Amino acid sequence: MKTCKRTGRGPYARAHPNYWLGVTAEDIPQGWMDDMIKRLFEELNREMIRIESKSRLMSDKPENVPACDRTEEAQDLRLRKLQRVQHMLRELTQMELQRKTVQDRKVTPDDDDPRAALERRLDERLAAIEALETAEKSGQE
């Protein structure tokens, strides 16, 4: 199987499902994820508006609604669509919150981080020096 020199993945276009096999969250550029989440929220909003406007039309002027849209089946379909959109919105919101918490965790330094350890040691030494200077001043007075 041939692989792309730039990405190291198979010969699939990004739109093909196999392109995304084995891809981790770290492989996806941050800006792309932000754009996709924004687009998904916009699409869910449009779908909700369509469902709400059709329901409002049915309740306000039922005589203007085609007979095929007045059936119980059509109403059940709209209800299922609305539930699916709400479920997708909840999942998307939860994924976004999880992604934000992972990003926040990456920003905070670990205890194992050498820079943080050096900073702690310097702070301890500065505190010790300040304590000695304070003790010397109080002893001289």
Side-chain angles (χ1 to χ4, degrees), residues 5 9 15 17 38 44 77 92 119:
K5 290 178 183 175
R9 296 199 194 106
K38 181 180 175 187
L44 289 173
L77 180 65
L92 184 59
E119 210 172 295

Side-chain angles (χ1 to χ4, degrees), residues 29-139:
Q30 189 62 41
W32 184 86
M33 287 179 71
D34 292 339
D35 291 344
M36 290 308 294
I37 289 170
K38 181 180 175 187
R39 287 174 59 190
L40 284 170
F41 274 122
E42 288 171 355
E43 186 59 38
L44 289 173
N45 186 41
R46 281 193 291 271
E47 187 67 28
M48 292 276 284
I49 289 171
R50 273 189 229 117
I51 293 168
E52 288 171 349
S53 64
K54 194 151 216 171
S55 296
R56 197 173 309 118
L57 181 66
M58 297 251 332
S59 63
D60 291 348
K61 301 177 184 176
E63 65 277 354
N64 293 345
V65 178
C68 63
D69 285 343
R70 282 188 246 149
T71 64
E72 261 186 59
E73 247 178 65
Q75 291 174 358
D76 286 344
L77 180 65
R78 273 193 301 282
L79 182 61
R80 282 195 306 266
K81 267 186 176 180
L82 181 62
Q83 289 171 343
R84 190 180 74 233
V85 167
Q86 288 173 339
H87 178 73
M88 289 169 59
L89 186 59
R90 275 193 299 272
E91 283 185 344
L92 184 59
T93 304
Q94 184 179 2
M95 281 179 8
E96 178 65 7
L97 289 174
Q98 287 173 348
R99 191 172 69 91
K100 292 290 183 192
T101 57
V102 167
Q103 285 175 347
D104 291 345
R105 266 190 265 138
K106 285 182 181 177
V107 171
T108 58
D110 283 354
D111 289 338
D112 300 334
D113 186 18
R115 187 177 297 159
L118 176 64
E119 210 172 295
R120 280 194 304 275
R121 283 195 316 241
L122 289 173
D123 287 341
E124 289 169 2
R125 289 184 182 170
L126 282 174
I129 291 170
E130 288 174 358
L132 283 174
E133 288 175 352
T134 306
E136 285 178 2
K137 285 183 184 177
S138 64

